[in-house]
């Protein structure tokens, strides 16, 4: 039945679905690093703006500011103070390598390299070239890691790496201190 003003309207007590929200961690060369809640469909630029914008030392050439965000993602903006010594593999500009979704959610950080500033290799972002830099990981195992990630989605925990054929408890323990999400 139309409302008294002639238009259709929802009853005042109707509960409308709340828009999906994303929780992202913004760090690095932004004015106010921290955890921010953004609307679904937000992009890296939206997270940067929520964090007060870029600092003067921000390096955005290796960051895809247009990349979509996923819940739990970490957006890491590199700075002139924290540039990695080398960057291997192909990146989509927001931290993902070789076509693997940067949305390593739960924990994806967005930087120019899948290695973090403390030289950890992000197993949700690193390509074969970077994974082979890990002790005990050859090209075949690195390719299996990338293939598993593409087929099954990002690793939710470091231990999920053991789902890859060829990585058992012993090899995982040897890698644990060199990897991150």
């Amino acid at each position: 039945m139309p409302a008294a003003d002639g238009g259709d309207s929802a009853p005042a007590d109707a509960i409308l679905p709340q828009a999906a929200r994303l929780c992202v961690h913004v760090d690095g060369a932004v004015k106010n690093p921290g955890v921010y809640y953004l609307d679904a469909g937000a992009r890296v630029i939206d997270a940067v703006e929520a964090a007060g914008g870029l600092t003067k030392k921000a390096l955005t050439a290796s960051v895809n500011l247009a990349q979509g965000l996923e819940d739990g993602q970490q957006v890491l903006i590199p700075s002139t103070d924290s540039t990695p010594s080398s960057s291997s593999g192909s990146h989509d500009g927001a931290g993902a390598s070789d076509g693997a979704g940067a949305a390593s959610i739960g924990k994806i950080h967005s930087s120019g390299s899948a290695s973090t500033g403390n030289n950890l290799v992000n197993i949700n972002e690193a390509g074969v070239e970077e994974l082979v830099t890990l002790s005990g990981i050859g090209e075949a195992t690195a390719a299996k890691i990338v293939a598993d990630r593409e087929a099954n989605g990002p690793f939710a925990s470091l231990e999920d790496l053991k789902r890859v054929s060829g990585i058992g408890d012993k090899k995982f323990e040897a890698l644990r201190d060199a990897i991150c999400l």
Side-chain angles (χ1 to χ4, degrees), residues 3-105:
D5 62 4
D8 290 329
S9 65
D13 62 349
I15 298 175
L16 300 175
Q18 192 175 31
R21 302 281 286 169
L22 305 174
C23 178
V24 297
H25 176 199
V26 186
D27 208 349
V30 292
K31 293 178 181 169
N32 301 303
V35 175
Y36 293 90
Y37 292 87
L38 304 169
D39 291 332
R43 301 194 175 271
V44 171
I45 187 66
D46 299 320
V48 168
E49 288 173 358
L54 299 168
T55 66
K56 291 180 181 181
K57 293 186 176 191
L59 297 175
T60 60
S62 64
V63 177
N64 180 357
L65 296 171
Q67 179 181 4
L69 295 170
E70 292 189 32
D71 188 50
Q73 184 171 347
Q74 180 184 33
V75 177
L76 180 61
I77 304 298
S79 76
T80 56
D81 293 337
S82 65
T83 57
S85 57
S86 67
S87 176
S88 61
S90 62
H91 302 284
D92 71 359
S97 300
D98 301 333
S104 105
I105 60 292

Side-chain angles (χ1 to χ4, degrees), residues 79-149:
S79 76
T80 56
D81 293 337
S82 65
T83 57
S85 57
S86 67
S87 176
S88 61
S90 62
H91 302 284
D92 71 359
S97 300
D98 301 333
S104 105
I105 60 292
K107 310 86 192 175
I108 323 197
H109 78 289
S110 298
S111 71
S113 172
S115 288
T116 63
N118 53 4
N119 295 324
L120 296 178
V121 174
N122 186 314
I123 60 173
N124 281 325
E125 298 175 4
V128 171
E129 299 84 5
E130 191 159 13
L131 290 167
V132 297
T133 66
L134 294 167
S135 177
I137 301 295
E139 202 164 312
T141 303
K144 288 180 189 177
I145 292 170
V146 172
D148 180 277
R149 187 176 64 211

